Amino acid sequence: MTTLKSKLHEDLTAAIRGRDELRSSTLRLTLTAITKEEVAGKTARELSDDEVQKVIAREAKKRREAAEAFAEGGRAEQAAKEKAEGEILAEYLPKQLSDDELQDIVAQAVAEAKAAGAEGPRAMGRVMKIVNPKVAGLAEGGRVAATVKKLLAG
């Protein structure tokens, strides 16, 4: 069993013993998503820590989007629950890049792309190819794309 997955199991056991309903239900749903991913396809397999992290990130993104949808729909209580679940999942993900750190990485990539002859909005794809491997798992794709657009326009 991967170390991240075993940590989730240990934390789930601790949450159940501590009668922490929110944490235990969130971890159960996440472990179910991981198991579902493991048995998807023709043969069952064990996920690596990186793959488990991607599943957790996907689950956290679902919680964020649901919280926004509930907030827009005027269901503040449900939005708060989704947000709290997202915060629990964020504990298992690497620390996200700050806006300044992201801007520095994107600025370097834009400079690289310009040196290769790509300029303006059409350089978006080339810049994203340079940036994505550097920020994988450390920044959300939407944030990265918005920063790239802003720097290419400016």
Side-chain angles (χ1 to χ4, degrees):
M1 188 182 296
T2 59
T3 54
L4 186 55
K5 187 176 172 187
S6 58
K7 178 163 175 38
L8 286 168
H9 276 288
E10 291 166 13
D11 290 353
L12 173 60
T13 305
I16 292 170
R17 286 193 179 133
R19 300 202 188 287
D20 185 345
E21 291 292 322
L22 179 69
R23 186 174 212 83
S24 63
S25 69
T26 302
L27 293 178
R28 268 194 190 109
L29 286 168
T30 304
L31 284 165
T32 301
I34 291 168
T35 304
K36 188 176 175 185
E37 188 78 19
E38 286 177 335
V39 298
K42 294 186 190 290
T43 58
R45 63 192 177 89
E46 187 79 24
L47 295 181
S48 68
D49 271 354
D50 287 341
E51 292 170 317
V52 169
Q53 214 165 39
K54 286 178 185 171
V55 173
I56 294 171
R58 193 169 51 231
E59 290 296 309
K61 184 178 179 189
K62 285 181 191 174
R63 300 309 190 288
R64 256 192 320 280
E65 290 171 352
E68 289 172 18
F70 282 128
E72 288 174 16
R75 298 181 59 192
E77 187 177 309
Q78 193 68 30
K81 180 180 181 271
E82 293 288 338
K83 191 172 182 137
E85 287 180 3
E87 289 169 3
I88 289 170
L89 292 176
E91 295 171 18
Y92 299 97
L93 295 172
K95 186 179 168 294
Q96 296 290 296
L97 292 172
S98 71
D99 289 338
D100 292 338
E101 292 169 324
L102 180 60
Q103 192 139 357
D104 290 345
I105 291 170
V106 171
Q108 290 171 354
V110 167
E112 258 181 71
K114 281 185 179 174
E119 285 194 45
R122 281 184 260 130
M124 176 92 177
R126 191 173 288 172
V127 173
M128 289 298 283
K129 279 182 187 170
I130 298 169
V131 171
N132 278 338
K134 295 178 183 177
V135 299
L138 301 175
E140 213 174 83
R143 264 182 69 205
V144 175
T147 305
V148 170
K149 281 181 187 171
K150 188 174 87 177
L151 289 179
L152 284 174

